[in-house]
Amino acid sequence: MTLATMSTAATPSPSCATTAEVTYFYKLIDHTAPPPDPLPDALPVSALDQSSGFVHLSTAAQVPGTLRHFFTDVPHVFVARIPRAPLDKADVVRWEDPEGKVCGPRPGEGLFPHLYNGLKLGKDEIDSVRKWDWNETGWDDAVRKVQAEGWLV
């Protein structure tokens, strides 16, 4: 499905890619909420995002951990890829620590991008969406495939 800022108050941990190296953000979407094609102006908001008041995003390096913490025991997920540059220009992304009460500590993953734009994530923000299937290796095969294709970068 192809469709047509960062706060620098904190620095990510040295074991993670620096925020300057991040080109895309990724939103993992539960299999029960498949995004329509074409994408609407705004996708439905997850319960976690609604309760947090922002859209939880991940960098490419953080996606495997997000899958392990939030998407076990599901047959597939949808992953939306969001170009970073327009969000930086609009100054709507904050890099923040993940809340331990939500998913527990996530050492080594650094700060997470959180989108503060009135919970809007849709056709204007997303450049493409992929469906990833879980299998006997968990999410490893899906992650390796999109990394090899250059989609998860």
Side-chain angles (χ1 to χ4, degrees):
M1 207 183 304
T2 302
L3 305 167
T5 278
M6 176 176 105
S7 169
T8 56
T11 306
S13 67
S15 62
C16 297
T18 66
T19 58
E21 296 169 342
V22 174
T23 305
Y24 294 99
F25 300 124
Y26 298 88
K27 176 64 179 172
L28 282 67
I29 303 166
D30 192 80
H31 73 286
T32 61
D37 184 11
L39 288 171
D41 289 337
L43 293 172
V45 179
S46 73
L48 177 61
D49 292 348
Q50 186 70 50
S51 68
S52 299
F54 58 84
V55 177
H56 293 259
L57 302 174
S58 296
T59 66
Q62 295 164 337
V63 164
T66 301
L67 287 165
R68 279 191 305 275
H69 284 285
F70 292 100
F71 297 95
T72 57
D73 303 324
V74 300
H76 59 268
V77 295
F78 297 91
V79 183
R81 185 171 78 169
I82 302 130
R84 175 185 176 178
L87 299 181
D88 279 354
K89 186 175 181 181
D91 195 25
V92 292
V93 173
R94 296 183 201 160
W95 293 85
E96 299 173 320
D97 285 319
E99 291 186 37
K101 66 182 181 187
V102 172
C103 64
R106 294 185 61 177
E109 290 187 277
L111 301 175
F112 281 75
H114 293 156
L115 178 60
Y116 288 86
N117 70 342
L119 300 172
K120 182 185 176 295
L121 186 61
K123 67 181 182 180
D124 294 335
E125 295 80 24
I126 297 169
D127 82 350
S128 58
V129 175
R130 298 271 183 103
K131 178 183 171 188
W132 295 4
D133 293 312
W134 187 92
N135 65 22
E136 64 278 350
T137 70
W139 296 109
D140 293 346
D141 286 346
V143 170
R144 276 193 293 270
K145 178 182 178 194
V146 293
Q147 285 172 329
E149 294 171 351
W151 191 83
L152 182 66
V153 293

